[in-house]
């Protein structure tokens, strides 16, 4: 009978700190998203329910609920998630640069959006203020 002496994996000692780091990161991401939902007037607990959170996010950005079905199609979902994050940043009065941050570093930028001094302006943000008659004569410089 062979006696094998097993040595633990070199990564065995890192599992505790790695799990602790991921748990802390997940809690911070949930807290930021919870705060964004409450700023938009939706229940904060909705961010932790897997399918319902996307439906509530679609309501926040002012898109129809059937877009959820588009999130199930591979490759199409990437385009629509970027579009939804763009509408979310516009809903809080931010630019496309903030959309890039939401796409690439979502937990950090959700915390910035949730805990920062940003206010929810409505689905998609405020419409442009053209003033009286500007839409009728867009090229008239005297108006």
């Amino acid at each position: 009978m062979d006696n094998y002496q097993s040595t633990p994996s070199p990564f065995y000692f890192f599992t505790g700190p790695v799990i602790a780091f991921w748990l802390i990161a997940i809690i911070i991401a949930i807290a930021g998203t919870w705060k964004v939902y409450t700023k938009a007037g939706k229940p904060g607990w909705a961010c932790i329910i897997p399918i319902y959170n996307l439906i509530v996010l679609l309501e926040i950005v002012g898109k129809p609920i059937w877009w959820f079905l588009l999130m199930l199609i591979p490759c199409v979902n990437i385009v629509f998630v970027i579009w939804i994050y763009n509408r979310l940043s516009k809903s809080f009065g931010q630019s496309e640069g903030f959309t890039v941050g939401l796409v690439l570093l979502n937990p950090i930028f959700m915390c910035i959006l949730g805990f920062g001094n940003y206010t929810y302006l409505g689905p998609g943000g405020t419409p442009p203020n053209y003033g009286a008659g500007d839409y009728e004569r867009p090229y008239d410089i005297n108006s």
Side-chain angles (χ1 to χ4, degrees):
M1 190 183 247
D2 293 328
N3 290 330
Y4 292 105
Q5 191 170 20
S6 64
T7 58
S9 168
F11 300 108
Y12 174 75
F13 299 107
F14 294 111
T15 55
V18 169
I19 290 172
F21 170 77
W22 281 111
L23 284 176
I24 291 170
I26 288 170
I27 290 171
I28 290 172
I30 289 172
T33 308
W34 188 300
K35 190 72 173 164
V36 168
Y37 279 32
T38 56
K39 277 187 175 183
K42 301 295 180 183
W45 56 265
C47 72
I48 57 176
I49 310 296
I51 295 171
Y52 185 60
N53 64 358
L54 289 175
I55 293 171
V56 171
L57 184 62
L58 287 170
E59 290 175 358
I60 290 172
V61 299
K63 290 297 177 186
I65 295 174
W66 62 266
W67 271 30
F68 171 73
L69 298 174
L70 297 172
M71 306 267 195
L72 302 175
I73 304 171
C75 298
V76 173
N77 59 1
I78 296 170
V79 173
F80 278 91
V81 165
I82 293 172
W83 196 348
I84 288 170
Y85 284 153
N86 185 30
R87 295 280 298 191
L88 182 65
S89 65
K90 298 288 184 192
S91 296
F92 282 89
Q94 300 304 307
S95 65
E96 288 79 14
F98 204 87
T99 302
V100 172
L102 280 171
V103 170
L104 298 178
L105 298 169
N106 188 298
I108 295 170
F109 276 80
M110 283 296 238
C111 286
I112 291 171
L113 202 59
F115 294 111
N117 292 329
Y118 303 109
T119 57
Y120 180 67
L121 303 175
T126 57
N129 186 6
Y130 292 116
D134 287 350
Y135 62 92
E136 295 173 44
R137 301 183 311 261
Y139 301 110
D140 189 7
I141 59 172
N142 295 327
S143 60

